[in-house]
Amino acid sequence: MLAAGDVEMVVFTVEIALLGTALNLVPGTAAALFLARYRGPGKGAIETVLSLPLVLPPTAVGILLLRALARRGLLGTLLGDLGIEIVFTWKAVLLATMVMSFPLLVRSARTAFEEVDPRLVGIARTLGCGPARAFFRVTLPLAWRGILAGSVLAFSRALGEFGATVMVAGNIPGRTQTLPLAIFHYNQIGRDDRALALVGVTVVLAFVALWSAELVSRRRSGRTTA
C-alpha cells in the first residue's frame, strides 16, 4: 500500500510528465518538421545539438541547466530580476523532464514526416492549399502516428527522469520529489518494500501509456482501412 505522501508524489510525477509532454509537443513537432524538410548548411550541427540529451549523462545535463539558471549566470540573473525562481522548485523538475524527453519526440516525429510523400503535399498546394492548410490537411494526418509514438516515448522518459532532475531540483519530499527520486531515496534508507511498491506503480503507468497509444493507433488504422 502507498502512503498518502506517496500518492501525492505519484500524482505530481504524472502531472509533470503530462505537462512537459504537452509543452514539448508544438516545438518538438516544429523541430521535427524543420529537420525533415531542411536541406541547407548546418543541418548536421542542429541535429546533433538537439540529440545531445540522449547521449550525455543526465547528471551532466543537470549541471549545465544548474549553471545556466544560477544567479550569477545571464539567464539566472534575468529570471531573478523578473522574480522567477526555478532552481529547487517544481519548475526545475518540469524543465529537466522537458529537456531530457524532447529529443525522443523530435526523432520519432521527424521519421514520420520524412515518410510522408512530398508529392501529396505538392498536389494539395496545386489544388489551392496554402502551406499551413496543406500541413494540417495532408502532412499531419499522415504523420500523426509518429508524433503520437514520440509523445508516448517522451512521457515515459519524463516519468523515469532522475539525473538531471536531482541536480537542478533536488530531492525535496512534497516539493520536487518524483517517482524515480523516491525509489532511490527509499532504497538508500533500506525501505525496499516501499521502493518496490513505487517500482510497481512506475511499471503500471508506463504500460498504460504504451497500451493506450497502441489502442488509439489500431482504432485509427481500422477506421482508415474501412
Side-chain angles (χ1 to χ4, degrees):
M1 294 295 293
L2 298 179
D6 290 340
V7 173
E8 294 177 0
M9 179 268 300
V10 171
V11 172
F12 171 72
T13 303
V14 173
E15 289 176 343
I16 287 292
L18 286 173
L19 179 58
T21 303
L23 292 176
N24 271 339
L25 186 58
V26 172
T29 301
L33 182 62
F34 171 79
L35 291 175
R37 298 288 184 262
Y38 181 63
R39 295 293 182 270
K43 180 178 180 179
I46 297 172
E47 291 175 334
T48 301
V49 170
L50 291 179
S51 298
L52 276 178
L54 291 178
V55 295
L56 285 175
T59 50
V61 177
I63 289 178
L64 292 175
L65 289 175
L66 193 59
R67 291 296 298 272
L69 298 171
R71 290 185 178 275
R72 289 176 293 180
L74 179 61
L75 181 58
T77 301
L78 177 61
L79 293 173
D81 292 340
L82 296 174
I84 301 175
E85 292 290 337
I86 294 183
V87 177
F88 300 120
T89 68
W90 69 268
K91 302 181 191 72
V93 181
L94 177 63
L95 178 62
T97 57
M98 288 179 63
V99 169
M100 295 304 298
S101 62
F102 185 78
L104 292 173
L105 195 159
V106 173
R107 292 173 72 87
S108 180
R110 175 195 170 184
T111 300
F113 285 133
E114 289 177 339
E115 292 176 351
V116 174
D117 190 342
R119 292 176 298 179
L120 298 177
V121 180
I123 292 172
R125 296 295 303 276
T126 60
L127 293 176
C129 289
R133 189 177 181 186
F135 172 77
F136 286 106
R137 295 289 297 273
V138 178
T139 305
L140 190 59
L142 292 174
W144 77 271
R145 288 190 183 87
I147 298 173
L148 176 62
S151 299
V152 173
L153 288 174
F155 173 77
S156 300
R157 180 66 183 84
L159 282 179
E161 166 51 34
F162 177 86
T165 303
V166 76
M167 297 299 297
V168 75
N171 186 10
I172 309 173
R175 185 175 179 184
T176 65
Q177 189 175 72
T178 60
L179 263 171
L181 298 178
I183 291 170
F184 175 78
H185 171 71
Y186 285 137
N187 178 260
Q188 289 296 103
I189 64 175
R191 295 298 307 274
D192 290 346
D193 55 333
R194 299 187 70 175
L196 287 172
L198 294 180
V199 168
V201 172
T202 305
V203 171
V204 170
L205 289 174
F207 177 85
V208 169
L210 294 172
W211 180 79
S212 299
E214 182 66 20
L215 181 63
V216 171
S217 178
R218 287 181 178 180
R219 285 184 175 179
R220 181 64 179 266
S221 179
R223 291 175 183 175
T224 303
T225 303

